[in-house]
Protein backbone atom coordinates (compact mmCIF):
# COMPACT_ATOMS: atom_id res chain seq x y z
CA UNK A 1 0.00 0.00 0.00
CA UNK A 2 1.33 3.44 -0.94
CA UNK A 3 -0.46 6.51 0.36
CA UNK A 4 -1.35 9.27 -0.07
CA UNK A 5 -1.23 9.37 -3.83
CA UNK A 6 -0.92 12.15 -4.83
CA UNK A 7 1.37 13.24 -1.99
CA UNK A 8 2.87 16.60 -1.11
CA UNK A 9 4.72 16.15 2.20
CA UNK A 10 5.14 12.49 3.09
CA UNK A 11 4.75 9.22 1.21
CA UNK A 12 3.94 6.14 3.29
CA UNK A 13 4.58 2.56 2.20
CA UNK A 14 3.22 -0.53 3.93
CA UNK A 15 4.03 -4.05 2.72
CA UNK A 16 3.34 -7.59 3.95
CA UNK A 17 7.08 -8.21 4.38
CA UNK A 18 10.04 -5.82 4.42
CA UNK A 19 11.28 -5.24 0.86
CA UNK A 20 14.85 -6.20 0.02
CA UNK A 21 15.20 -2.87 -1.76
CA UNK A 22 13.20 0.33 -2.13
CA UNK A 23 13.99 2.71 -4.99
CA UNK A 24 12.14 5.81 -6.12
CA UNK A 25 13.07 7.48 -9.39
CA UNK A 26 11.72 10.46 -11.29
CA UNK A 27 10.34 10.02 -14.78
CA UNK A 28 13.65 11.52 -15.99
CA UNK A 29 15.55 8.68 -14.31
CA UNK A 30 16.87 10.67 -11.33
CA UNK A 31 17.31 8.35 -8.33
CA UNK A 32 15.59 9.93 -5.31
CA UNK A 33 15.74 7.03 -2.82
CA UNK A 34 17.74 3.80 -2.76
CA UNK A 35 17.54 1.95 0.54
CA UNK A 36 17.06 -1.42 2.15
CA UNK A 37 14.23 -1.01 4.64
CA UNK A 38 14.35 -3.07 7.82
CA UNK A 39 10.60 -3.03 8.39
CA UNK A 40 7.29 -3.40 6.56
CA UNK A 41 6.56 0.33 6.89
CA UNK A 42 8.48 3.25 5.44
CA UNK A 43 7.86 6.99 5.33
CA UNK A 44 9.60 9.20 2.80
CA UNK A 45 9.76 12.99 3.11
CA UNK A 46 8.85 14.30 -0.34
CA UNK A 47 8.19 17.90 0.67
CA UNK A 48 11.31 19.19 -1.13
CA UNK A 49 10.93 17.06 -4.25
CA UNK A 50 9.94 18.69 -7.55
CA UNK A 51 6.31 18.20 -8.53
CA UNK A 52 5.80 15.35 -10.93
CA UNK A 53 5.38 11.62 -11.41
CA UNK A 54 7.74 9.13 -9.78
CA UNK A 55 8.22 5.37 -9.96
CA UNK A 56 8.37 3.39 -6.71
CA UNK A 57 10.22 0.09 -7.15
CA UNK A 58 10.16 -2.49 -4.37
CA UNK A 59 12.08 -5.77 -4.66
CA UNK A 60 11.07 -8.91 -2.77
CA UNK A 61 13.51 -11.71 -3.57
CA UNK A 62 13.02 -12.45 -7.28
CA UNK A 63 9.86 -10.33 -7.59
CA UNK A 64 9.88 -6.59 -8.28
CA UNK A 65 6.82 -4.36 -7.95
CA UNK A 66 6.52 -0.96 -9.69
CA UNK A 67 3.98 1.74 -8.81
CA UNK A 68 3.54 5.31 -10.03
CA UNK A 69 3.08 8.11 -7.52
CA UNK A 70 2.40 11.79 -8.05
CA UNK A 71 4.03 14.51 -5.97
CA UNK A 72 2.19 17.84 -5.80
Amino acid sequence: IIFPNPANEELNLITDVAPDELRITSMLGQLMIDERPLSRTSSVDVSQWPKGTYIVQMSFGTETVHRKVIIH
Side-chain angles (χ1 to χ4, degrees), residues 10 12-13 17-18 26 29-31 33 35-36 38 40 46 53 60 63 66 71:
E10 187 174 73
N12 299 291
L13 300 97
V17 296
S26 71
Q30 180 182 6
L31 184 62
I33 293 284
E35 58 185 42
R36 282 146 184 81
L38 298 176
R40 301 179 320 107
V46 297
T53 303
F60 303 91
E63 182 182 352
H66 296 86
I71 306 301

Side-chain angles (χ1 to χ4, degrees), residues 35-71:
E35 58 185 42
R36 282 146 184 81
L38 298 176
S39 72
R40 301 179 320 107
T41 61
S42 297
S43 294
V44 178
D45 179 5
V46 297
S47 62
Q48 300 301 310
W49 291 14
K51 295 178 182 180
T53 303
Y54 293 81
I55 301 296
V56 177
Q57 175 182 315
M58 294 176 283
S59 298
F60 303 91
T62 59
E63 182 182 352
T64 302
V65 176
H66 296 86
R67 297 287 183 266
K68 285 186 183 178
V69 295
I70 297 171
I71 306 301

